[in-house]
Amino acid sequence: MSADHLHSALTDRGATWAPLAGISVVTHFGDPGREWRAAREGCAVFPAGYRHCLAATGEDRVAFLQGLLSNDVKRLTAGQGVYAASLTQTGKVVSDLRVYADPDRLLLDLVAWRADALRTHLQRFLVADDVELGPCTDAQPLLQLQGPFASAVAGEALGLDLLPTAPLAHVRLSFDGSTVRVVRVAEGGADGVLICGPASAAGPLLDACRAAGAVAAGMEALNALRIEAGSAWAGVDMDEETLLLESGCEAAASFTKGCYLGQEVVERIAARGHVNRRLAGLLLEGAALPARGTVLMADGRDVGYVTSSVRSPLLGRGIALAIIHRKHGVAGTRLQIGADGESGIVTALPFDGALRQEEDGQT
């Protein structure tokens, strides 16, 4: 099935589309509020076209990526996965990614709008290595199930009695004549399962998940969930101007694996004990949602910038992710948003903590 046919298959099932970061994504299936609640309280199923998998094949694939990614891929065996990042020489983020090990390849799963940049970056270092980097049409991200009942829905929809339990562990099985991959991973907190496979399987998989109790959902709900969870996206909340340890993605780095591109900077910052700025949350005090890049100010000085914002169903108000200088990134600090804008209050991530404080009458 082509991309056009996949688009049609999802549209026929109620999907509404819009551009995001240069790609087309499903924004909702009619009721973003209901879709968000399903992901918080039951199970929502999101078309996963916002993610993309590259395949690394060849005899040198493990050694090659071991020297270029921030986490330990050498220790992976088939069916395991690890969270990692690709960095520049100066420790800045090209993209974070998930690595899934197969017997004959490594799959690199990342946000779709950074796939070309990652492939170009990695290929710069291919000299005489027996490695090929290319698409894997048989294992593209198709659906993300999210919510406390995600595992139960996936199990019923796929006829699978036992799902992987370790983070990023994955199994392959047959569904409707296609081989699909089931990965244990959450996108915005709670329980989560990612299903990868050929595009032709997306429609039947969506139908099966809905029949098993999932609510079809789109990017409006998912974006609210991931910002509430404090989850940074490459190309949005972190980029090649952002150090890995500024992004809150410490889990992507191994401090025992040995040398990799950008390691010296990561290790030096870790030894120092802090970064000069860091991703934090903002509780917005006005109705407007600031655009990405909006400057944050304190005492007339630039102290950071907004990376993402959304109206949070969890808190019933606007919230944002922002990179903020550590002196001004202390929870409770009030910052001005834009030169003539309203204000926001710094809060620790995830935003559930702010909800608990409000319920306790402390905010």
Side-chain angles (χ1 to χ4, degrees):
M1 178 182 287
S2 69
D4 288 343
H5 287 131
L6 176 58
H7 188 286
S8 297
L10 293 175
T11 301
D12 290 345
R13 290 164 171 82
T16 297
W17 299 79
L20 172 68
I23 67 168
S24 183
V25 299
V26 175
T27 55
H28 60 78
F29 282 84
D31 189 342
R34 175 173 177 261
E35 295 164 19
W36 177 89
R37 287 192 299 275
R40 292 284 300 189
E41 301 169 5
C43 178
V45 54
F46 300 89
Y50 63 94
R51 300 197 69 88
H52 184 82
C53 272
L54 297 171
T57 57
E59 290 296 322
D60 299 331
R61 64 188 183 279
V62 174
F64 176 73
L65 291 174
Q66 182 75 351
L68 288 172
L69 300 183
S70 61
N71 216 331
D72 193 351
V73 299
K74 192 175 180 179
R75 65 176 175 81
L76 294 179
T77 59
Q80 294 182 329
V82 69
Y83 180 51
S86 173
L87 307 178
T88 67
Q89 186 70 46
T90 56
K92 306 293 180 66
V93 179
V94 177
S95 184
D96 64 336
L97 65 150
R98 307 160 186 163
V99 184
Y100 311 136
D102 276 350
D104 57 350
R105 63 182 179 177
L106 293 172
L107 300 183
L108 312 181
D109 169 16
L110 69 158
V111 289
W113 50 86
R114 295 301 295 165
D116 287 343
L118 176 65
R119 184 176 180 181
T120 298
H121 173 74
L122 295 177
Q123 285 180 325
R124 288 175 49 213
F125 299 94
L126 280 174
V127 183
D129 308 270
D130 179 13
V131 178
E132 288 191 20
L133 297 169
C136 47
T137 57
D138 64 315
Q140 284 303 314
L142 300 179
L143 299 177
Q144 174 71 46
L145 281 76
Q146 194 70 35
F149 299 119
S151 293
V153 168
E156 182 174 341
L158 298 169
L160 187 60
D161 294 330
L162 187 62
L163 289 168
T165 56
L168 301 186
H170 48 101
V171 296
R172 289 186 291 179
L173 64 144
S174 178
F175 173 84
D176 196 35
S178 298
T179 297
V180 299
R181 180 185 309 266
V182 183
V183 186
R184 172 68 73 179
V185 63
E187 192 70 73
D191 190 16
V193 174
L194 175 67
I195 305 175
C196 302
S200 58
L205 278 168
L206 180 60
D207 293 341
C209 290
R210 294 172 83 171
V215 172
M219 188 57 66
E220 286 189 28
L222 185 62
N223 195 44
L225 287 164
R226 70 99 188 169
I227 293 176
E228 289 167 347
S231 177
W233 270 352
V236 178
D237 306 292
M238 54 182 170
D239 54 27
E240 293 183 32
E241 298 300 318
T242 313
L243 292 167
L244 178 65
L245 298 185
E246 292 175 338
S247 68
C249 296
E250 290 90 344
S254 168
F255 294 94
T256 59
K257 63 167 279 186
C259 184
Y260 60 88
L261 188 68
Q263 179 208 20
E264 184 177 336
V265 176
V266 174
E267 294 282 357
R268 187 165 63 243
I269 293 172
R272 187 172 64 192
H274 65 81
V275 285
N276 291 328
R277 58 180 193 169
R278 187 174 173 83
L279 191 76
L282 274 181
L283 298 172
L284 306 179
E285 297 191 298
L289 296 178
R292 180 174 183 257
T294 300
V295 172
L296 301 175
M297 305 184 74
D299 301 322
R301 300 181 62 185
D302 178 347
V303 298
Y305 60 93
V306 172
T307 63
S308 295
S309 64
V310 72
R311 181 163 180 80
S312 166
L314 178 68
L315 294 172
R317 65 190 294 179
I319 62 174
L321 298 178
I323 298 290
I324 306 173
H325 191 280
R326 66 188 182 93
K327 178 182 177 181
H328 301 278
V330 179
T333 302
R334 180 173 275 103
L335 300 177
Q336 182 181 338
I337 302 172
D340 301 309
E342 296 172 327
S343 59
I345 300 173
V346 178
T347 186
L349 297 172
F351 281 94
D352 298 66
L355 176 64
R356 288 191 294 271
Q357 287 184 338
E358 288 188 345
E359 290 174 340
D360 293 340
Q362 297 176 11
T363 300

PDB file of all heavy atoms in Angstrom, residues 68-71 83-87 93-97 99 118 244 249 252-253 260-261:
ATOM      1  N   LEU A  68      28.706   5.984  17.130  1.00  0.00           N
ATOM      2  CA  LEU A  68      28.014   7.213  16.742  1.00  0.00           C
ATOM      3  C   LEU A  68      26.768   7.509  17.576  1.00  0.00           C
ATOM      4  O   LEU A  68      26.237   8.616  17.491  1.00  0.00           O
ATOM      5  CB  LEU A  68      27.617   7.144  15.266  1.00  0.00           C
ATOM      6  CG  LEU A  68      28.782   7.275  14.282  1.00  0.00           C
ATOM      7  CD1 LEU A  68      28.314   7.001  12.862  1.00  0.00           C
ATOM      8  CD2 LEU A  68      29.397   8.672  14.366  1.00  0.00           C
ATOM      9  N   LEU A  69      26.295   6.558  18.352  1.00  0.00           N
ATOM     10  CA  LEU A  69      25.127   6.785  19.192  1.00  0.00           C
ATOM     11  C   LEU A  69      25.525   6.822  20.657  1.00  0.00           C
ATOM     12  O   LEU A  69      26.513   6.206  21.071  1.00  0.00           O
ATOM     13  CB  LEU A  69      24.077   5.696  18.957  1.00  0.00           C
ATOM     14  CG  LEU A  69      23.530   5.576  17.534  1.00  0.00           C
ATOM     15  CD1 LEU A  69      22.453   4.507  17.463  1.00  0.00           C
ATOM     16  CD2 LEU A  69      23.003   6.907  17.027  1.00  0.00           C
ATOM     17  N   SER A  70      24.722   7.529  21.451  1.00  0.00           N
ATOM     18  CA  SER A  70      25.103   7.825  22.835  1.00  0.00           C
ATOM     19  C   SER A  70      24.826   6.705  23.817  1.00  0.00           C
ATOM     20  O   SER A  70      25.265   6.776  24.966  1.00  0.00           O
ATOM     21  CB  SER A  70      24.364   9.089  23.309  1.00  0.00           C
ATOM     22  OG  SER A  70      22.959   8.880  23.260  1.00  0.00           O
ATOM     23  N   ASN A  71      24.102   5.672  23.404  1.00  0.00           N
ATOM     24  CA  ASN A  71      23.854   4.556  24.313  1.00  0.00           C
ATOM     25  C   ASN A  71      24.449   3.276  23.744  1.00  0.00           C
ATOM     26  O   ASN A  71      24.944   3.244  22.615  1.00  0.00           O
ATOM     27  CB  ASN A  71      22.359   4.392  24.594  1.00  0.00           C
ATOM     28  CG  ASN A  71      22.090   3.963  26.030  1.00  0.00           C
ATOM     29  OD1 ASN A  71      22.914   3.300  26.650  1.00  0.00           O
ATOM     30  ND2 ASN A  71      20.945   4.350  26.559  1.00  0.00           N
ATOM     31  N   TYR A  83      17.108   3.200  24.170  1.00  0.00           N
ATOM     32  CA  TYR A  83      16.907   4.611  23.841  1.00  0.00           C
ATOM     33  C   TYR A  83      18.274   5.266  23.703  1.00  0.00           C
ATOM     34  O   TYR A  83      19.165   5.042  24.524  1.00  0.00           O
ATOM     35  CB  TYR A  83      16.106   5.266  24.960  1.00  0.00           C
ATOM     36  CG  TYR A  83      15.819   6.739  24.775  1.00  0.00           C
ATOM     37  CD1 TYR A  83      15.273   7.230  23.592  1.00  0.00           C
ATOM     38  CD2 TYR A  83      16.066   7.637  25.808  1.00  0.00           C
ATOM     39  CE1 TYR A  83      14.990   8.576  23.436  1.00  0.00           C
ATOM     40  CE2 TYR A  83      15.784   8.980  25.669  1.00  0.00           C
ATOM     41  CZ  TYR A  83      15.243   9.450  24.481  1.00  0.00           C
ATOM     42  OH  TYR A  83      14.972  10.791  24.335  1.00  0.00           O
ATOM     43  N   ALA A  84      18.454   6.061  22.661  1.00  0.00           N
ATOM     44  CA  ALA A  84      19.765   6.652  22.389  1.00  0.00           C
ATOM     45  C   ALA A  84      19.585   8.000  21.703  1.00  0.00           C
ATOM     46  O   ALA A  84      18.463   8.473  21.481  1.00  0.00           O
ATOM     47  CB  ALA A  84      20.591   5.710  21.503  1.00  0.00           C
ATOM     48  N   ALA A  85      20.715   8.625  21.382  1.00  0.00           N
ATOM     49  CA  ALA A  85      20.703   9.882  20.636  1.00  0.00           C
ATOM     50  C   ALA A  85      21.893   9.910  19.697  1.00  0.00           C
ATOM     51  O   ALA A  85      22.928   9.289  19.964  1.00  0.00           O
ATOM     52  CB  ALA A  85      20.737  11.082  21.578  1.00  0.00           C
ATOM     53  N   SER A  86      21.721  10.637  18.612  1.00  0.00           N
ATOM     54  CA  SER A  86      22.821  10.921  17.695  1.00  0.00           C
ATOM     55  C   SER A  86      23.233  12.363  17.929  1.00  0.00           C
ATOM     56  O   SER A  86      22.400  13.270  17.875  1.00  0.00           O
ATOM     57  CB  SER A  86      22.354  10.722  16.252  1.00  0.00           C
ATOM     58  OG  SER A  86      23.338  11.138  15.334  1.00  0.00           O
ATOM     59  N   LEU A  87      24.527  12.569  18.197  1.00  0.00           N
ATOM     60  CA  LEU A  87      25.023  13.884  18.566  1.00  0.00           C
ATOM     61  C   LEU A  87      26.059  14.384  17.567  1.00  0.00           C
ATOM     62  O   LEU A  87      26.687  13.607  16.848  1.00  0.00           O
ATOM     63  CB  LEU A  87      25.674  13.826  19.958  1.00  0.00           C
ATOM     64  CG  LEU A  87      24.845  13.233  21.096  1.00  0.00           C
ATOM     65  CD1 LEU A  87      25.668  13.203  22.381  1.00  0.00           C
ATOM     66  CD2 LEU A  87      23.555  14.003  21.293  1.00  0.00           C
ATOM     67  N   VAL A  93      22.260  17.867  19.754  1.00  0.00           N
ATOM     68  CA  VAL A  93      21.354  16.777  19.388  1.00  0.00           C
ATOM     69  C   VAL A  93      20.962  16.833  17.911  1.00  0.00           C
ATOM     70  O   VAL A  93      20.317  17.785  17.473  1.00  0.00           O
ATOM     71  CB  VAL A  93      20.083  16.821  20.254  1.00  0.00           C
ATOM     72  CG1 VAL A  93      19.124  15.696  19.856  1.00  0.00           C
ATOM     73  CG2 VAL A  93      20.442  16.704  21.736  1.00  0.00           C
ATOM     74  N   VAL A  94      21.349  15.806  17.155  1.00  0.00           N
ATOM     75  CA  VAL A  94      20.808  15.622  15.809  1.00  0.00           C
ATOM     76  C   VAL A  94      19.398  15.057  15.929  1.00  0.00           C
ATOM     77  O   VAL A  94      18.442  15.564  15.351  1.00  0.00           O
ATOM     78  CB  VAL A  94      21.698  14.690  14.973  1.00  0.00           C
ATOM     79  CG1 VAL A  94      21.080  14.450  13.591  1.00  0.00           C
ATOM     80  CG2 VAL A  94      23.103  15.258  14.848  1.00  0.00           C
ATOM     81  N   SER A  95      19.252  13.987  16.714  1.00  0.00           N
ATOM     82  CA  SER A  95      17.944  13.435  17.052  1.00  0.00           C
ATOM     83  C   SER A  95      18.111  12.405  18.152  1.00  0.00           C
ATOM     84  O   SER A  95      19.144  11.732  18.238  1.00  0.00           O
ATOM     85  CB  SER A  95      17.280  12.773  15.840  1.00  0.00           C
ATOM     86  OG  SER A  95      15.959  12.335  16.181  1.00  0.00           O
ATOM     87  N   ASP A  96      17.089  12.281  18.995  1.00  0.00           N
ATOM     88  CA  ASP A  96      17.018  11.100  19.834  1.00  0.00           C
ATOM     89  C   ASP A  96      16.321  10.015  19.031  1.00  0.00           C
ATOM     90  O   ASP A  96      15.693  10.279  17.997  1.00  0.00           O
ATOM     91  CB  ASP A  96      16.303  11.380  21.155  1.00  0.00           C
ATOM     92  CG  ASP A  96      14.839  11.756  20.968  1.00  0.00           C
ATOM     93  OD1 ASP A  96      14.474  12.245  19.877  1.00  0.00           O
ATOM     94  OD2 ASP A  96      14.052  11.567  21.913  1.00  0.00           O
ATOM     95  N   LEU A  97      16.432   8.764  19.456  1.00  0.00           N
ATOM     96  CA  LEU A  97      15.879   7.649  18.693  1.00  0.00           C
ATOM     97  C   LEU A  97      15.808   6.408  19.554  1.00  0.00           C
ATOM     98  O   LEU A  97      16.406   6.346  20.642  1.00  0.00           O
ATOM     99  CB  LEU A  97      16.716   7.360  17.449  1.00  0.00           C
ATOM    100  CG  LEU A  97      18.155   6.873  17.671  1.00  0.00           C
ATOM    101  CD1 LEU A  97      18.586   5.969  16.523  1.00  0.00           C
ATOM    102  CD2 LEU A  97      19.125   8.050  17.770  1.00  0.00           C
ATOM    103  N   VAL A  99      16.445   2.234  19.276  1.00  0.00           N
ATOM    104  CA  VAL A  99      17.142   1.230  18.470  1.00  0.00           C
ATOM    105  C   VAL A  99      16.556  -0.135  18.805  1.00  0.00           C
ATOM    106  O   VAL A  99      16.535  -0.533  19.977  1.00  0.00           O
ATOM    107  CB  VAL A  99      18.655   1.234  18.742  1.00  0.00           C
ATOM    108  CG1 VAL A  99      19.355   0.237  17.823  1.00  0.00           C
ATOM    109  CG2 VAL A  99      19.232   2.631  18.560  1.00  0.00           C
ATOM    110  N   LEU A 118      19.036  12.639  10.215  1.00  0.00           N
ATOM    111  CA  LEU A 118      19.815  11.592  10.881  1.00  0.00           C
ATOM    112  C   LEU A 118      20.565  10.744   9.862  1.00  0.00           C
ATOM    113  O   LEU A 118      21.761  10.467  10.031  1.00  0.00           O
ATOM    114  CB  LEU A 118      18.897  10.698  11.718  1.00  0.00           C
ATOM    115  CG  LEU A 118      19.602   9.516  12.388  1.00  0.00           C
ATOM    116  CD1 LEU A 118      20.613   9.986  13.428  1.00  0.00           C
ATOM    117  CD2 LEU A 118      18.598   8.551  13.007  1.00  0.00           C
ATOM    118  N   LEU A 244      22.585  17.531  24.730  1.00  0.00           N
ATOM    119  CA  LEU A 244      21.747  16.412  25.141  1.00  0.00           C
ATOM    120  C   LEU A 244      21.262  16.579  26.577  1.00  0.00           C
ATOM    121  O   LEU A 244      20.077  16.363  26.870  1.00  0.00           O
ATOM    122  CB  LEU A 244      22.524  15.096  25.009  1.00  0.00           C
ATOM    123  CG  LEU A 244      21.771  13.838  25.448  1.00  0.00           C
ATOM    124  CD1 LEU A 244      20.573  13.592  24.548  1.00  0.00           C
ATOM    125  CD2 LEU A 244      22.685  12.622  25.463  1.00  0.00           C
ATOM    126  N   CYS A 249      16.972  14.461  28.460  1.00  0.00           N
ATOM    127  CA  CYS A 249      17.022  13.110  27.879  1.00  0.00           C
ATOM    128  C   CYS A 249      18.252  12.339  28.359  1.00  0.00           C
ATOM    129  O   CYS A 249      18.924  11.659  27.570  1.00  0.00           O
ATOM    130  CB  CYS A 249      17.001  13.187  26.357  1.00  0.00           C
ATOM    131  SG  CYS A 249      15.485  13.891  25.676  1.00  0.00           S
ATOM    132  N   ALA A 252      19.098   8.695  27.438  1.00  0.00           N
ATOM    133  CA  ALA A 252      19.649   8.331  26.131  1.00  0.00           C
ATOM    134  C   ALA A 252      21.156   8.124  26.161  1.00  0.00           C
ATOM    135  O   ALA A 252      21.726   7.661  25.174  1.00  0.00           O
ATOM    136  CB  ALA A 252      19.314   9.415  25.099  1.00  0.00           C
ATOM    137  N   ALA A 253      21.806   8.450  27.266  1.00  0.00           N
ATOM    138  CA  ALA A 253      23.271   8.387  27.329  1.00  0.00           C
ATOM    139  C   ALA A 253      23.743   7.268  28.251  1.00  0.00           C
ATOM    140  O   ALA A 253      23.208   7.070  29.336  1.00  0.00           O
ATOM    141  CB  ALA A 253      23.832   9.717  27.814  1.00  0.00           C
ATOM    142  N   TYR A 260      32.143   7.578  21.887  1.00  0.00           N
ATOM    143  CA  TYR A 260      31.182   7.805  20.817  1.00  0.00           C
ATOM    144  C   TYR A 260      31.218   9.294  20.466  1.00  0.00           C
ATOM    145  O   TYR A 260      31.721  10.121  21.241  1.00  0.00           O
ATOM    146  CB  TYR A 260      29.757   7.377  21.206  1.00  0.00           C
ATOM    147  CG  TYR A 260      29.188   8.101  22.404  1.00  0.00           C
ATOM    148  CD1 TYR A 260      28.503   9.310  22.262  1.00  0.00           C
ATOM    149  CD2 TYR A 260      29.323   7.574  23.688  1.00  0.00           C
ATOM    150  CE1 TYR A 260      27.982   9.972  23.360  1.00  0.00           C
ATOM    151  CE2 TYR A 260      28.800   8.225  24.790  1.00  0.00           C
ATOM    152  CZ  TYR A 260      28.127   9.428  24.623  1.00  0.00           C
ATOM    153  OH  TYR A 260      27.617  10.085  25.710  1.00  0.00           O
ATOM    154  N   LEU A 261      30.697   9.645  19.329  1.00  0.00           N
ATOM    155  CA  LEU A 261      30.728  11.026  18.869  1.00  0.00           C
ATOM    156  C   LEU A 261      29.959  11.922  19.842  1.00  0.00           C
ATOM    157  O   LEU A 261      28.790  11.683  20.121  1.00  0.00           O
ATOM    158  CB  LEU A 261      30.115  11.135  17.474  1.00  0.00           C
ATOM    159  CG  LEU A 261      30.253  12.491  16.785  1.00  0.00           C
ATOM    160  CD1 LEU A 261      31.717  12.760  16.430  1.00  0.00           C
ATOM    161  CD2 LEU A 261      29.382  12.552  15.530  1.00  0.00           C
TER     162      LEU A 261
END
